[in-house]
Amino acid sequence: MSNLLLAAVSVTSLFAQGDKVRIIAFGAHPDDCDIRASGTAALWAKMGYPVKFVSVTNGDAGHQTMHGAELARRRLAEAKESARRLGIEYEVLDNPDGKLLPTLEVREEIIRQIRGWKADVVLAPRPNDYHPDHRYTAVLVQDAAYMVVVPAVTPDTPALRRNPVFLYYEDGFQRPNPFRPDVAVAIDKVIDQKINALDSHVSQFYEWLPWVDGKLQDVPKGPAERKAWLKKARTREINPAIRASLVKWYGAEHGNAARYYEAFELCEYGARPDDARIRQLFPMLGH
Ligand SMILES: [Zn+2]
């Protein structure tokens, strides 16, 4: 082993809970993580970093005609297909959709998930959002931060030795404070893979969400046409704050060339990484 390789190995083991940086992402519903982080997840997965998406509810209320166990089964299958297309794991917890509360019981489920995955990075929504399940997922994950290292809490699952780094997904809500893109990941190389993952969630992107918006008639019929339609609907222009973050992490040339991105804001309740550690946790930055 060369000295350089030895140095790389020791730095990784210094920072990770195990041999390799491990990532877990939480969403309220079985498509939320996919919308906010599946491009970054695909990049991590390609580099050999284990990624797990967890839906805190089973999604059994998210459709205009189908609901209950039948819908929950369908959405679980869609989530598993998305995971297959991304090269990651996906677990759907059996809490009812539209009824999530930040109880101690669900907090313990989240603690077990983070510990069981030996996570170094935890992704979750911000706590101010239009949907109560999104808000409470955010609160539940915040409530698990730090508690994951306390052995007397949820003693059936061994505690982590280090508090992971917690980050929030991007959203457009302005109050009480707008999203701050501390980390912006260029996902141009995997944008089609991301859209392909979203395309797994047929019940959502081609049925339920267009129906809620009164746009069901706009959904194209052909598989290629609807994927192109989905890509257009789910990508947007890069605003100046995101562009500045891309330039910070990738340099002017690559940062200005990026067209597709995902961005994350550091949560104050997890470990506080410096820029060097962020580069270690997000090894795709700069590439
Ligand atoms: Zn959702």
Side-chain angles (χ1 to χ4, degrees):
M1 193 182 282
S2 73
N3 283 344
L4 197 65
L5 191 54
L6 199 63
V9 168
S10 61
V11 167
T12 302
S13 52
L14 182 70
F15 284 121
Q17 311 273 5
D19 294 339
K20 201 148 207 179
V21 171
R22 300 173 66 86
I23 301 96
I24 194 164
F26 292 92
H29 308 111
D31 65 332
D32 290 357
C33 297
D34 314 51
I35 293 169
R36 297 299 179 190
S38 59
T40 309
L43 291 168
W44 266 315
K46 277 185 202 306
M47 298 176 92
Y49 291 72
V51 182
K52 182 178 188 179
F53 283 0
V54 178
S55 175
V56 182
T57 78
N58 60 20
D60 67 355
H63 201 268
Q64 65 275 36
T65 54
M66 188 185 277
H67 60 269
E70 187 189 8
L71 180 58
R73 269 196 305 277
R74 185 179 180 198
R75 296 195 67 180
L76 177 62
E78 290 173 344
K80 295 287 184 190
E81 177 58 19
S82 175
R84 195 186 66 75
R85 294 180 187 187
L86 293 167
I88 66 165
E89 299 216 6
Y90 213 130
E91 186 167 342
V92 177
L93 306 183
D94 200 20
N95 298 302
D97 186 357
K99 298 178 181 176
L100 188 65
L101 290 173
T103 62
L104 197 51
E105 192 186 3
V106 186
R107 186 201 298 177
E108 289 199 298
E109 283 191 272
I110 305 288
I111 290 171
R112 288 188 194 100
Q113 286 289 336
I114 296 170
R115 288 177 176 175
W117 193 248
K118 294 187 167 57
D120 301 292
V121 174
V122 180
L123 306 177
R126 297 201 303 160
N128 294 284
D129 192 288
Y130 76 102
H131 196 304
D133 290 349
H134 296 179
R135 288 200 290 275
Y136 295 136
T137 295
V139 170
L140 285 157
V141 176
Q142 287 185 352
D143 289 354
Y146 182 68
M147 287 297 121
V148 292
V149 303
V150 180
V153 170
T154 324
D156 59 16
T157 311
L160 297 179
R161 289 296 295 126
R162 289 188 193 84
N163 201 14
V165 172
F166 287 70
L167 299 110
Y168 301 119
Y169 306 124
E170 186 185 15
D171 62 58
F173 299 101
Q174 299 297 306
R175 293 181 183 179
N177 53 293
F179 173 80
R180 188 187 64 211
D182 294 320
V183 179
V185 178
I187 60 164
D188 300 65
K189 287 176 192 161
V190 290
I191 184 62
D192 290 331
Q193 192 180 354
K194 173 173 182 168
I195 299 303
N196 203 32
L198 298 184
D199 172 76
S200 310
H201 298 277
V202 172
S203 70
Q204 302 303 295
F205 296 109
Y206 303 135
E207 297 176 14
W208 166 239
L209 297 170
W211 183 84
V212 169
D213 289 342
K215 292 178 177 168
L216 200 52
Q217 70 282 0
D218 295 351
V219 181
K221 295 283 174 277
E225 289 78 7
R226 67 184 192 179
K227 249 187 232 188
W229 173 84
L230 186 60
K231 184 173 182 176
K232 205 161 168 225
R234 289 285 157 185
T235 53
R236 70 192 97 96
E237 289 295 306
I238 295 183
N239 73 36
I242 299 285
R243 184 64 75 193
S245 186
L246 285 165
V247 168
K248 172 186 171 178
W249 293 109
Y250 288 84
E253 190 187 340
H254 288 104
N256 282 317
R259 194 162 155 220
Y260 301 106
Y261 75 96
E262 286 166 350
F264 306 93
E265 176 178 330
L266 284 164
C267 165
E268 294 175 301
Y269 312 141
R272 305 288 189 94
D274 59 15
D275 285 2
R277 187 167 182 204
I278 288 176
R279 285 193 186 280
Q280 197 170 41
L281 299 174
F282 289 81
M284 68 291 285
L285 293 174
H287 297 285

